Amino acid sequence: MRGAGLAAWLLAAACATSAGTWAVSLIAPGGALTEAQVQEALATASAQPPPPPGVTLRAGSSFAYPEGSLTAACSGGRAVLLSWTPAQNHSVEDVERGPAPSAAVTFESADDRTTTVTVRCPGPVASVVRGTDD
């Protein structure tokens, strides 16, 4: 009797493993990436979106707030957001990337409070104004 119980358990384990492998193959077709593929993907990945066509950017300025951070630059007196990242427990509600007289990102907290950071370029360096809905 003991042998039959063990055999049943092994059969159930084999079926569960097969079903799990099949399910994962549906989620990730093509299998897992090799270490070389991961390194290649990381080397070619861009953390920032490219600037809009025809825009020459000066060095970016970074700004950090409790709601999130952003990097912006100026091009011909126009503001351009280069990157933006919400802080933990925040999300990005809206982005006006530019280039424009002003560019802005709105961060939203988990309790629905919003903070808008607006970037302007009165000179060659970006300046910001932060406003909240509190």
Side-chain angles (χ1 to χ4, degrees):
M1 188 72 168
R2 233 180 199 176
L6 179 60
W9 185 87
L10 289 173
L11 180 61
C15 288
T17 301
S18 295
T21 302
W22 174 75
V24 168
S25 73
L26 293 177
I27 295 169
L33 297 176
T34 65
E35 184 175 344
Q37 290 171 318
V38 169
Q39 293 302 324
E40 180 182 349
L42 289 173
T44 60
S46 173
Q48 299 178 353
V55 174
T56 302
L57 301 174
R58 298 179 192 265
S61 299
S62 295
F63 306 92
Y65 299 98
E67 301 83 7
S69 60
L70 61 109
T71 301
C74 296
S75 175
R78 296 163 58 101
V80 179
L81 294 181
L82 301 176
S83 66
W84 50 91
T85 305
Q88 187 171 2
N89 296 321
H90 287 76
S91 61
V92 173
E93 181 180 90
D94 188 35
V95 176
E96 296 172 17
R97 183 169 180 225
S102 65
V105 59
T106 301
F107 299 108
E108 183 175 23
S109 67
D111 59 358
D112 294 329
R113 288 182 291 154
T114 60
T115 300
T116 300
V117 181
T118 304
V119 180
R120 292 187 177 84
C121 293
V125 179
S127 65
V128 299
V129 175
R130 177 177 162 261
T132 63
D133 69 354
D134 293 341

